[in-house]
Amino acid sequence: MTRSYTPALAYPVLTPLYDLTLELFGCGTGTLLRALAARQPAADYTGLDPDPRVLAAARRRLPAEAGEVTLIRGYAQHLPLSDSTFDLVISTLIFHHLPDEGKRQAIAEVRRVLRPAGRFLLVDFGAPQTWTSRTLLRIGSVFDGRANLRTNLAGALPTMLTRGGFSVAEVAPRHRGLSHLLCQPRPT
């Protein structure tokens, strides 16, 4: 793999602190997969990340009885997965790491791998709703790159998803500054 990526917390030396830091937001390396597999052990799950250290942490976190879980090294912009394969795709705290063109590519890739009646849940930072969240996100953008976070902070992800062929609804109240966008492919 020759593409670059932003490591967890922007610097490889900080990757071990990723889970601890993200406990504030309710996600981390493999925690969502573990929770989903515990609730629906008969389902098949696939996790994807470009960082081998994050994948190793996820492998350690997933118990043997977690059901069918496959972890793949790859990028959201070029999913190494077959067309129309998934009923549900979930992305948590990834899009703010991507430049706008990467966001558009990832949206196209998600649409490609979803079945026609599939759904895409995108959980990421949206437009800040309070002075405190605006300040914290601006400080946090030092780690994630101000340019990559700009679209999120402007509240433009729903428009980008709509242009990418999805119908979009915000499905949950904001939690710690995160928006929850439920998307379904529009017929072509």
Side-chain angles (χ1 to χ4, degrees):
M1 300 201 166
T2 59
R3 293 183 163 274
S4 65
Y5 59 90
T6 302
L9 292 180
Y11 303 100
V13 70
L14 297 178
T15 296
L17 301 174
Y18 184 70
D19 285 324
L20 178 62
T21 302
L22 291 183
E23 285 300 317
L24 296 172
F25 298 103
C27 73
T29 52
T31 56
L32 180 58
L33 278 172
R34 182 179 65 195
L36 291 170
R39 289 204 167 113
Q40 294 291 328
D44 294 337
Y45 300 94
T46 302
L48 177 100
D49 201 283
D51 190 337
R53 291 170 300 237
V54 169
L55 291 172
R59 276 188 196 91
R60 288 189 303 270
R61 176 163 284 122
L62 294 168
E65 66 276 3
E68 186 61 37
V69 178
T70 303
L71 298 174
I72 299 171
R73 186 170 183 221
Y75 296 84
Q77 305 94 309
H78 299 284
L79 296 174
L81 305 162
S82 300
D83 295 359
S84 301
T85 306
F86 294 90
D87 295 312
L88 175 65
V89 172
I90 301 172
S91 174
T92 55
L93 296 172
I94 298 302
F95 270 62
H96 70 276
H97 290 288
L98 303 175
D100 284 355
E101 182 56 29
K103 287 175 175 70
R104 284 189 280 279
Q105 291 170 341
I107 289 167
E109 283 291 278
V110 168
R111 195 167 194 295
R112 179 183 66 77
V113 302
L114 274 177
R115 292 187 174 120
R119 293 178 291 168
F120 173 35
L121 178 62
L122 173 57
V123 180
D124 213 311
F125 298 109
Q129 296 182 323
T130 66
W131 181 87
T132 303
S133 63
R134 189 172 12 267
T135 301
L136 290 173
L137 285 169
R138 293 211 186 280
I139 292 168
S141 71
V142 169
F143 292 101
D144 293 318
R146 292 185 194 281
N148 292 348
L149 196 54
R150 192 170 293 126
T151 297
N152 293 60
L153 296 181
L157 282 180
T159 300
M160 193 175 272
L161 288 157
T162 299
R163 288 183 180 150
F166 286 97
S167 59
V168 182
E170 190 154 358
V171 294
R174 294 273 174 104
H175 177 69
R176 296 185 178 159
L178 300 178
S179 61
H180 298 72
L181 305 172
L182 184 61
C183 312
Q184 292 185 285
R186 289 191 320 262
T188 55

